Amino acid sequence: MISHDRIKIPPGFWNGLREIGFSMQEITAKAQLMPAQIERPEGVTITEYFAIWQAYSELVGDISEAVVKLSTAFDTTQYPPSMLATFHARDYRDALNRMGKYKKLCPPESLQIKEEGDDCRIQLSWSDPQQPGPPMLAAITLATLLELGRRGTGRLIHAKLVEFSFPLMDTGTLETYFGCPVRFGADTNRLTLKRSDLNLPFLSYNEEMLEILTPALEHTLNERQSNDSFVLTVERIIKHGLAGSRPDMLIVARDLGMSERTLQRRLAEEGTSFKKILSHVRHEMALTYLKDPSLEIHEVAFLTGYEDQNSFYRAFRSWEGETPANWRIKQNSQSVPLAR
C-alpha cells in the first residue's frame, strides 16, 4: 500500500491516553509533531502515525504495562464505527471476521484470520514490509483483539499463544494479561486463540445497530478498494515504462483512456499525485534492485528511470538518508548467517 494512505485517529484514542495519565500535547511534542498535523480532516500519514506510537512507547517506560493499560482503558462508547460494528457482532467469530474486513479501512496494518484444527490464528501484517510498525502498536493490536472477545462475551477468554517479531519485553506482564505463553523474536506477530471460543455469543450483540453501521462501512470499503485499484493501475503503468526514462504523465493518462487533467483530479481525490506515486514506485523498485548483488549502482539508476547516477543518489538519500552503496552494504551484512 502506498504512502499517501491516511489514518484518522478516533477521539477515544486520546481519551484512553488521558485515562492513564498522558495528554495529546505530551505525545505530539515527543513525536515532534504539531497539533495541526494531528487535527487534519484527512488524518495523519503512516510515518506520523508510527511516530505517535513510538512517542507513547518512550514516554511510558514499561511498555508491557502500557499495552495492558491502554487496551483495557479504551471506552467502548468512544469506538469508531468500524470497531462498534465488531463490538455489536453476533459472536466472537463474527466480530473477528468483521475486524479483519474493516481493518482495510485503517492502514497500515492488516489481519489474516485462519481457522485450523482446534486453533484460530490471527496474523498481523504491515502494508509496507519495509516500514514495520513500532512494537507497541503490534502488541496493542493483538491485545485489542483479545479484549474485544472479553468485552463482547463477558468472559475472561485466554489466548493459546502470542508471538511477536520484536525482541524480548516484560514477558510476565503480557503472559498474565493474555493468559498464555508469549514468545518474542518470532517470524511474525500472531495471536492464537482456542477455536471453540469463537462460538461464544456476544452479550453486546445489537442487530439494529449493525443494520445501521454495516451498509455505510461496506460502501466505504468498496470505495476504498476501487480507489486502491486505480492507484495500483497507475503504479503498474509507471513500472512498465520506467527503465531508462522518466514516465510522462500524458503517456500514463493516454494508457488509462483519460486526459492529463482527469488523471490529476482522480489522484488528488485519493490524496496523492503523479509525482508522489512516481517517487514511491522508484523507491520501492530501487530497494528491490539493490538487493540483487549482480546489478551495479548505475544499472539500478537506469532501471528506476534516472538518466544519470547523481540524480539517483540524491533521490535515494532523500528516501533512506544514506547512499545506495551504504544501504546495500548494511543489507548484505544483515543477511550473512552468524558463525556457529
Side-chain angles (χ1 to χ4, degrees):
M1 195 170 292
I2 63 176
S3 58
H4 70 266
D5 283 321
R6 298 286 181 137
I7 301 99
K8 293 185 179 181
I9 301 176
F13 172 77
W14 301 112
N15 292 337
L17 285 176
R18 277 195 293 271
E19 287 291 323
I20 57 177
F22 295 95
S23 67
M24 182 174 73
Q25 290 74 22
E26 284 180 284
I27 299 293
T28 53
K30 184 69 175 178
Q32 298 184 333
L33 299 174
M34 300 296 292
Q37 292 174 275
I38 304 298
E39 296 166 358
R40 285 181 302 219
E42 67 271 24
V44 298
T45 65
I46 290 176
T47 300
E48 291 166 347
Y49 185 63
F50 284 169
I52 290 169
W53 281 103
Q54 186 59 40
Y56 174 47
S57 301
E58 293 172 7
L59 286 170
V60 77
D62 187 342
I63 296 180
S64 298
E65 189 69 30
V67 168
V68 176
K69 283 185 177 179
L70 188 55
S71 299
T72 54
F74 208 109
D75 185 354
T76 53
T77 62
Q78 300 287 330
Y79 280 170
S82 56
M83 277 292 290
L84 271 179
T86 64
F87 183 65
H88 293 305
R90 183 178 296 276
D91 53 34
Y92 197 9
R93 176 178 285 103
D94 184 23
L96 289 173
N97 286 333
R98 288 175 184 270
M99 180 72 84
K101 188 175 189 178
Y102 298 140
K103 265 292 180 184
K104 297 172 185 175
L105 297 173
C106 310
E109 65 263 33
S110 61
L111 301 172
Q112 289 81 46
I113 303 172
K114 184 177 182 180
E115 294 185 45
E116 190 173 47
D118 295 331
D119 297 339
C120 172
R121 298 183 181 89
I122 309 170
Q123 182 170 313
L124 168 64
S125 301
W126 305 110
S127 55
D128 183 357
Q130 299 288 339
Q131 189 183 15
M136 172 70 80
L137 178 55
I140 283 284
T141 300
L142 298 191
T144 300
L145 295 174
L146 184 63
E147 190 67 24
L148 173 65
R150 289 175 173 177
R151 294 190 184 195
T153 64
R155 299 191 185 189
L156 186 61
I157 296 173
H158 289 166
K160 291 185 70 173
L161 176 66
V162 179
E163 300 164 275
F164 292 117
S165 61
F166 45 85
L168 183 68
M169 289 170 48
D170 178 4
T171 307
T173 300
L174 291 179
E175 288 190 343
T176 299
Y177 174 75
F178 284 104
C180 69
V182 176
R183 296 176 184 168
F184 295 91
D187 61 346
T188 190
N189 299 295
R190 181 165 49 214
L191 171 69
T192 301
L193 300 168
K194 298 174 186 174
R195 192 176 184 183
S196 58
D197 284 342
L198 272 58
N199 298 321
L200 294 172
F202 265 28
L203 304 177
S204 52
Y205 172 53
N206 188 324
E207 186 176 5
E208 291 182 359
M209 183 65 74
L210 289 178
E211 287 178 353
I212 295 171
L213 293 170
T214 302
L217 289 169
E218 291 292 333
H219 177 72
T220 304
L221 184 61
N222 289 336
E223 278 193 337
R224 168 64 68 92
Q225 291 173 335
S226 174
N227 294 336
D228 281 350
S229 64
F230 176 72
V231 173
L232 291 173
T233 299
V234 173
E235 285 189 2
R236 177 180 54 77
I237 295 172
I238 290 175
K239 287 178 180 178
H240 183 71
L242 197 57
S245 63
R246 175 174 178 144
D248 184 83
M249 181 159 48
L250 178 60
I251 294 174
V252 174
R254 285 176 178 171
D255 281 353
L256 290 168
M258 61 180 64
S259 68
E260 243 182 308
R261 180 170 293 183
T262 300
L263 174 59
Q264 288 177 317
R265 177 180 57 78
R266 287 285 302 273
L267 294 176
E269 288 172 354
E270 304 312 314
T272 190
S273 66
F274 185 81
K275 182 179 179 181
K276 287 181 181 178
I277 294 177
L278 175 59
S279 178
H280 169 77
V281 169
R282 282 174 152 171
H283 183 191
E284 183 183 71
M285 295 182 72
L287 296 180
T288 300
Y289 288 137
L290 285 170
K291 290 177 182 177
D292 183 350
S294 68
L295 292 174
E296 300 291 338
I297 301 294
H298 71 271
E299 292 176 303
V300 175
F302 174 83
L303 291 170
T304 50
Y306 288 93
E307 296 178 357
D308 65 272
Q309 194 167 318
N310 288 335
S311 296
F312 174 63
Y313 267 73
R314 287 194 296 271
F316 196 87
R317 277 187 177 277
S318 72
W319 296 327
E320 296 292 328
E322 58 185 339
T323 66
N326 286 344
W327 186 90
R328 172 178 268 176
I329 290 170
K330 287 182 180 179
Q331 291 296 307
N332 289 340
S333 65
Q334 292 172 4
S335 63
V336 175
L338 297 174
R340 293 185 180 275

